[in-house]
Amino acid sequence: MNNRFDNFYTDDLSESSDSFPIISLDERSIEININSGDTLPILPLRNMVIFPGVLLPVSVARPKSLKLVRHALENDRLIGVCSQKDRKSEDPLLDDLYSTGTVAQVVRILEMPDNTTTVILEGKKRFHLGEQTTTKPYLKARVSLAEDIMPEEENNGVFQALVSSIKDLATNIINNSGFMPPETSFAIRNIDNPVFLINYVCANFGLNVKEKIQLLETDEILERGYLLLELLNKESQLLELKMSIQNKAKEGIDQQQREYFLQQQMKTIQNELGGVSPEQDAQEFRQRASVKKWTENVAKIFDKELKKLERMNQHSPDYSTQLNYIQTMLDLPWHEYTKDNFNLKNAIKVLNADHFGLDTVKDRIIEHLAVLKLKGDMKSPIICLYGPPGVGKTSLGKSVARALDRKYVRISLGGLHDEAEIRGHRRTYIGALPGRIMQNIQKAESANPVFVLDEIDKITADYKGDPSSALLEVLDPEQNSAFHDNYLDVDFDLSKVMFIATANNLNTIPRPLLDRMELIEVSGYTQEEKVEIARKHLITKELENHGLKANQIVLSKQVIQHLIDSYTRESGVRELNRQIASLMRKIAKLVATNEKYNVELSVDDLKKYLGASRYSRDKYQGNEYAGVVTGLAWTQVGGEILFVESSLSKSKSPRLTLTGNLGDVMKESAMLALEYIKSHAEQLEIDPLLFDDWNVHVHVPEGAIPKDGPSAGITMVTALASAFTKRKVRKNLAMTGEITLRGRVLPVGGIKEKILAAKRAGITDIMLCADNQKDIEEIKPIYLKGLKFHYVTDIMDVINFALLAEKVNA
């Protein structure tokens, strides 16, 4: 507790008292045998004043002062003691001292255990400094003695009352201070001489040097007593005020004080254990913030939040929340970008090395790089790669990042149904966090990474909000320069981020979200492409993953083709990769156990290691039966051929029966097909009475697999026309297209996958809507080799080409 009484104790920088001053017991001891005009050696004191009749221990350290006191003790000489005006002065002269001092006698010199020297001085009489006579070996000056003027007899009663008041007030201060020794109170009560009492109180109580000098300079004892009483009254009032404040605060401070002391103890323990205090945290945060490249507005917000953290109690529930927020702001890469690599040849090399095919996607990336290189500043495009699983959509993002020398981050949006996952939670929530967008930007440590939004078509909405709506701001180049995360509550620039979304089905993506992305189709691979991917990428990767060398297993093209046909059915190569990995495990076991095996695997070895063939290749089944037509379908794993079978049976109550696990749209296509046949019975040379006596049954095999969509429309019309007319269907023909009630043929999607399925099945002729010709022109010639396309606009064109004049034998 800092207060004015601290002057009683030793000051390490100066000669000072080592203990409380005491009064001289012998009043005659203050008598001196010097006169005014005599020369005395002067001992300067820092921060101290000695009064007549008071014994004062002083710590002496300066060589000149030590020489002075030792000489005075040896020769029983008196000295003059004066206080310095500036306590920092090391070699004071006469002008550096207060003009009033005290004649003193060196009673004793004590050599202390800590190698310091303490001198006991006894004050004798006041004096005023005269002229300086010498400074060597120590300061000497002439002095004129000052006499104490006692009060006149008529003021004796007043003086006695004054002395009594001083004694009572001094005793009260001692009792209430809590730090003055009780011996002081005992000494005051037993001093009979009023002058000694006043001098003793002047020396003992917490008055500063200027106030003590003012008292020492006062000649009239009565006036000195009044001045002392005034100073003591101030001191007493200050003590009473402190006690009043303490008493008022004590009622509610006990628990707070207890917590404070506990916190201080915890802080001490943390420091001992190498922990970091909140003050050190704040200092570290400011240092980190000084190198951040954020805007002036963000800097102001950060400074405001940091000051709020400093004001918080470390053990407050909100402290950790505020601390996490500060750390999040510091960890985010504000305007920190990696340098793009504009070497287009290197980018092409990287993309080709990582992925076989995908020319459209690669061209789009190279185009973006070219524009960025020329312009130097371009908002990153929002690309959406859509296509069947396993064709390399996700892994393409890594290759793009490697080609650009950018950081790579990815989040899976499959099953995401909480909007807060994108935008984050507000800090008012318990356990609030930034959204996954900002979390991954923080993880990337760069504000321009390649950001893959995987499975964007699998987002779902529920009562917690619609995440796809939150993505509208993220994926809009005009808005994402000021993306607002609820947790961060500060706009963050995402315009330099290159977002790549992936999807299997565009139909489930909301139209506004779809409109913000550039769609690039990633179709399935042909068998030839799968063989090359397996040889150049998959086998090499799995050899390394399984600790095998290239000379320990050899897979020929023929074996890889058989592996693809008999053990996989997909548009991509994910299942193919799993089968190769399974094969590698079998070989690794043989190598580890030193068993013999054929290094160059054959088709029979595949059966030995992987078991019997899982799939049979889709094959055209011929045209020996009327009412069976080959159609083309698109599935999530690529294209497939399907067979639409129709048959007639006599019935008194004709009806249309549909089987094969068909969806609503496909059932509607069958009803449309039958109605078209009925309305054009004469053109097809069908007896209208047949419709009144025969049931019509349409079946699509593989009933365990759900089927839907309008693309089997012309296939059903052809199947029904063949069933009613008994005409054969043209060999090696497959078809796809939607129909209308008026007989129009409409275009459908998934053309490339359907063509690949047709090639696998040995189809040579494909019938399509004329509007689908543009899709065929975009496909590489290698995919079209061996196929002949027939474009139609009307259902009668389909029937006339697909059905032969030859009829099936009954």
Side-chain angles (χ1 to χ4, degrees), residues 580-596:
I580 292 174
S582 178
L583 198 59
M584 295 293 177
R585 288 195 296 270
K586 306 292 184 184
I587 301 300
K589 178 184 175 183
L590 298 175
V591 173
T593 56
N594 294 321
E595 295 183 38
K596 291 185 177 181

Side-chain angles (χ1 to χ4, degrees), residues 301-347:
I301 293 173
F302 174 81
D303 190 56
K304 177 183 175 183
E305 296 294 335
L306 184 57
K307 288 179 179 177
K308 188 188 297 183
L309 177 71
E310 290 177 315
R311 291 193 299 268
M312 282 185 178
N313 188 324
Q314 189 180 4
H315 300 282
S316 166
D318 294 331
Y319 183 84
S320 60
T321 301
Q322 188 70 10
L323 181 65
N324 290 337
Y325 178 76
I326 293 293
Q327 290 174 334
T328 300
M329 286 196 74
L330 288 172
D331 290 341
L332 284 172
W334 299 89
H335 302 287
E336 297 174 15
Y337 307 109
T338 55
K339 188 177 181 181
D340 288 335
N341 183 0
F342 295 128
N343 188 335
L344 301 187
K345 291 183 179 179
N346 177 68

Side-chain angles (χ1 to χ4, degrees), residues 126-239:
R126 298 182 304 116
F127 69 83
H128 300 295
L129 282 173
E131 61 177 349
Q132 179 177 307
T133 58
T134 182
T135 59
K136 294 182 180 180
Y138 35 75
L139 179 64
K140 290 183 180 181
R142 297 189 186 280
V143 298
S144 59
L145 299 179
E147 296 293 338
D148 289 332
I149 303 175
M150 296 298 292
E152 298 177 357
E153 289 185 8
E154 61 267 21
N155 292 329
N156 280 341
V158 175
F159 182 58
Q160 289 177 2
L162 177 63
V163 172
S164 179
S165 298
I166 291 173
K167 185 180 294 189
D168 292 341
L169 195 53
T171 304
N172 185 48
I173 291 174
I174 293 169
N175 294 334
N176 292 333
S177 66
F179 52 83
M180 294 181 69
E183 293 83 359
T184 311
S185 178
F186 176 80
I188 289 176
R189 285 196 301 266
N190 288 278
I191 298 176
D192 296 328
N193 189 313
V195 179
F196 285 179
L197 175 67
I198 292 174
N199 288 343
Y200 181 73
V201 174
C202 290
N204 280 346
F205 281 73
L207 309 176
N208 59 44
V209 173
K210 288 185 177 180
E211 290 171 340
K212 289 183 178 182
I213 290 295
Q214 187 179 2
L215 290 166
L216 187 65
E217 290 175 343
T218 304
D219 295 333
E220 293 186 4
I221 297 299
L222 184 62
E223 186 179 346
R224 189 187 304 171
Y226 277 123
L227 180 57
L228 176 60
L229 186 63
E230 181 183 350
L231 295 173
L232 290 179
N233 266 319
K234 289 181 181 179
E235 203 65 46
S236 178
Q237 290 172 8
L238 180 61
L239 278 174

Side-chain angles (χ1 to χ4, degrees), residues 649-657 691-696:
S649 60
K650 272 190 170 291
S651 174
K652 292 181 180 180
S653 55
R655 62 182 179 180
L656 173 64
T657 303
F691 302 112
D692 298 329
D693 300 328
W694 297 81
N695 278 336
V696 179

Side-chain angles (χ1 to χ4, degrees), residues 360-529:
T360 305
V361 185
K362 293 175 184 176
D363 289 343
R364 179 64 189 86
I365 301 300
I366 299 304
E367 289 168 4
H368 169 67
L369 276 178
V371 174
L372 199 60
K373 181 178 181 180
L374 294 176
K375 189 179 180 184
D377 180 22
M378 174 183 175
K379 290 183 178 179
S380 290
I382 312 297
I383 295 174
C384 179
L385 307 176
Y386 71 97
V391 294
K393 301 185 297 296
T394 303
S395 61
L396 187 68
K398 286 186 179 179
S399 300
V400 172
R402 196 157 71 91
L404 292 172
D405 279 350
R406 287 192 181 190
K407 299 292 183 67
Y408 168 79
V409 288
R410 168 189 169 274
I411 62 172
S412 178
L413 301 176
L416 194 71
H417 55 80
D418 188 354
E419 181 184 347
E421 291 286 336
I422 302 298
R423 286 192 178 276
H425 300 82
R426 296 197 179 276
R427 280 184 286 162
T428 52
Y429 289 92
I430 296 174
L433 286 172
R436 293 171 69 178
I437 300 294
M438 298 312 301
Q439 286 182 35
N440 282 273
I441 292 293
Q442 179 179 332
K443 188 189 302 181
E445 299 179 349
S446 165
N448 64 334
V450 173
F451 203 126
V452 175
L453 302 170
D454 217 0
E455 309 290 354
I456 198 171
D457 57 327
K458 307 295 191 303
I459 292 178
T460 56
D462 67 0
Y463 69 94
K464 295 179 181 178
D466 186 2
S468 62
S469 299
L471 282 174
L472 294 177
E473 182 184 4
V474 177
L475 300 181
D476 191 340
E478 300 301 324
Q479 298 182 44
N480 63 11
S481 59
F483 173 68
H484 191 87
D485 184 274
N486 289 332
Y487 177 84
L488 194 62
D489 207 21
V490 181
D491 290 342
F492 191 91
D493 186 4
L494 295 178
S495 62
K496 300 293 191 298
V497 178
M498 186 172 188
F499 287 101
I500 299 179
T502 70
N504 299 129
N505 186 4
L506 297 181
N507 295 329
T508 59
I509 302 177
R511 179 58 56 184
L513 186 59
L514 202 62
D515 185 58
R516 284 164 168 78
M517 299 186 290
E518 181 178 342
L519 303 178
I520 300 177
E521 184 179 7
V522 185
S523 1
Y525 297 111
T526 63
Q527 187 184 64
E528 292 78 8
E529 287 178 328

